[in-house]
Amino acid sequence: MNWIKDFIPTLKQNISKTFGKDSNSKIPEGLWKSCEKCGSILYIPELKKNSYVCSKCSNHFKINVSERIEITFDENTYSSLNEKEEFKDYLKFIDTKKYKDRFHEALKKSKTDEALSIGTGKIKDREIVVAIFEFDFLGGSMGAVVGKRFVKAVEHSIEKKIPLISFSTSGGARMQESMISLFQMGKTAAAIKKLKNRKIPFISVLVDPCYGGVTASLAMLGDIIIAEPNARIGFSGKRVIQDTVKEDLPKDFQTAEKQLEKGFIDKIIDRRELRDFVSKILKILS
């Protein structure tokens, strides 16, 4: 039981540092998180310092837009380019729920106003434009606002002559917007073409999971395409393909590691090393 004797003083010290001297009498809620891969119980302040990567097995936790901003940019340099958007239900779409109801549920769940957020910031003093998908907002699905915001990010990048980085995690096109959603594939691809014509760097980072129309358009058009370890990347999901071909697929099917082996992506980068890697690449490209 020696590990308990060693652990308790360290635990109290960490709590005291984080929450003050009076906090060691009661452990605050929300202080621990379990790793879904190895089951380790992790101290959340330490997990944040480690860029939300498990210190035991290097599992990359799913993170939201604000957490991505926190670990990516130099402190207090991020500035949002989002504009307030009016919700539009073009088709009055209903499946098991109304699109309107699903949209408002997503607002509460994700604490963002859409599946894509854009802004500017600095990585090691180098200014960039960024587009970040939020998977918790309707599966990061690409609708009209997502396309509009991505194009705005590209236009800002061209205007300021600074690089663009996107973090893509999505289930694909937003079915509730039908063809309007599919149009965004061509719209975003055309915008990236303008960026390339002006020789402004575009780095695409693929985050677990990345599927559908996002993979088939903007996510795969980067000058450099990076993936986080073990990210699932493809067009149709593994389960859908298995049901179609009626065969079992390999365990590593559609993983970042397999996609790298097949030449589908350029490099796999641990989240903790991303800032350094991006900084070096931008020096080369610029």
Side-chain angles (χ1 to χ4, degrees):
M1 301 296 284
N2 287 339
W3 68 271
I4 294 181
K5 292 179 181 179
D6 293 336
F7 177 71
I8 294 300
T10 305
L11 170 60
K12 287 185 177 181
Q13 188 178 33
N14 285 336
I15 292 173
S16 186
K17 283 181 181 178
T18 307
F19 298 97
K21 293 181 179 179
D22 295 334
S23 301
N24 56 13
S25 59
K26 184 179 179 182
I27 298 176
E29 292 182 6
L31 198 59
W32 305 95
K33 195 164 188 176
S34 174
C35 176
E36 61 183 19
K37 185 175 180 181
C38 70
S40 297
I41 306 301
L42 305 171
Y43 183 53
I44 290 178
E46 292 300 323
L47 181 62
K48 289 181 179 180
K49 288 180 182 178
N50 208 38
S51 297
Y52 300 93
V53 176
C54 178
S55 57
K56 309 297 182 184
C57 69
S58 295
N59 175 46
H60 284 49
F61 282 70
K62 288 183 172 59
I63 57 177
N64 59 31
V65 170
S66 61
E67 291 166 338
R68 177 70 65 179
I69 291 168
E70 176 188 17
I71 66 173
T72 301
F73 293 104
D74 298 349
E75 191 174 359
N76 298 322
T77 63
Y78 180 80
S79 177
S80 176
L81 292 174
N82 292 343
E83 294 179 354
K84 189 174 181 180
E85 301 290 345
E86 181 184 349
F87 171 73
K88 294 180 180 179
D89 187 356
Y90 299 97
L91 306 176
K92 308 299 179 187
F93 194 94
I94 301 175
D95 46 85
T96 55
K97 291 182 181 179
K98 293 180 180 179
Y99 177 28
K100 184 177 181 180
D101 294 339
R102 289 193 183 279
F103 186 89
H104 288 297
E105 286 175 5
L107 287 175
K108 293 177 183 178
K109 179 182 179 182
S110 66
K111 297 179 182 178
T112 57
D113 65 341
E114 250 297 345
L116 183 72
S117 293
I118 59 174
T120 61
K122 291 183 178 181
I123 295 179
K124 298 202 168 185
D125 295 323
R126 184 178 293 273
E127 191 172 1
I128 64 164
V129 181
V130 68
I132 307 172
F133 278 82
E134 173 59 80
F135 193 80
D136 276 349
F137 195 102
L138 295 174
S141 54
M142 183 165 62
V145 172
V146 169
K148 177 182 177 182
R149 284 188 175 175
F150 187 84
V151 170
K152 182 180 178 180
V154 170
E155 290 173 346
H156 191 83
S157 180
I158 291 172
E159 179 186 350
K160 300 296 183 181
K161 297 180 180 179
I162 54 178
L164 172 65
I165 299 179
S166 71
F167 292 88
S168 299
T169 173
S170 175
R174 190 172 300 177
M175 67 175 186
Q176 292 89 346
E177 295 185 19
S178 188
M179 286 299 295
I180 293 168
S181 175
L182 296 178
F183 289 156
Q184 309 312 310
M185 295 172 63
K187 184 176 180 178
T188 55
I192 293 169
K193 179 64 175 176
K194 292 180 182 179
L195 200 67
K196 290 179 182 289
N197 288 341
R198 287 161 177 80
K199 297 183 179 180
I200 297 173
F202 171 43
I203 297 175
S204 179
V205 183
L206 310 184
V207 181
D208 183 62
C210 190
Y211 284 113
V214 172
T215 301
S217 57
L218 64 95
M220 300 308 300
L221 293 175
D223 297 306
I224 295 178
I225 302 171
I226 302 167
E228 291 189 341
N230 299 307
R232 291 165 292 172
I233 303 162
F235 185 70
S236 294
K238 182 177 180 180
R239 186 179 61 186
V240 173
I241 295 173
Q242 283 188 157
D243 290 345
T244 302
V245 301
K246 308 299 181 186
E247 291 184 15
D248 290 334
L249 297 171
K251 287 184 178 180
D252 63 352
F253 181 75
Q254 293 186 329
T255 61
E257 289 71 19
K258 177 59 69 173
Q259 303 294 26
L260 178 64
E261 179 186 321
K262 298 298 181 181
F264 202 50
I265 62 175
D266 297 310
K267 196 165 183 65
I268 297 171
I269 299 291
D270 188 296
R271 191 183 289 163
R272 294 165 289 190
E273 301 169 2
L274 184 65
R275 277 171 48 85
D276 287 339
F277 180 81
V278 167
S279 178
K280 290 175 183 177
I281 286 296
L282 291 181
K283 284 180 182 178
I284 295 170
L285 295 179
S286 299

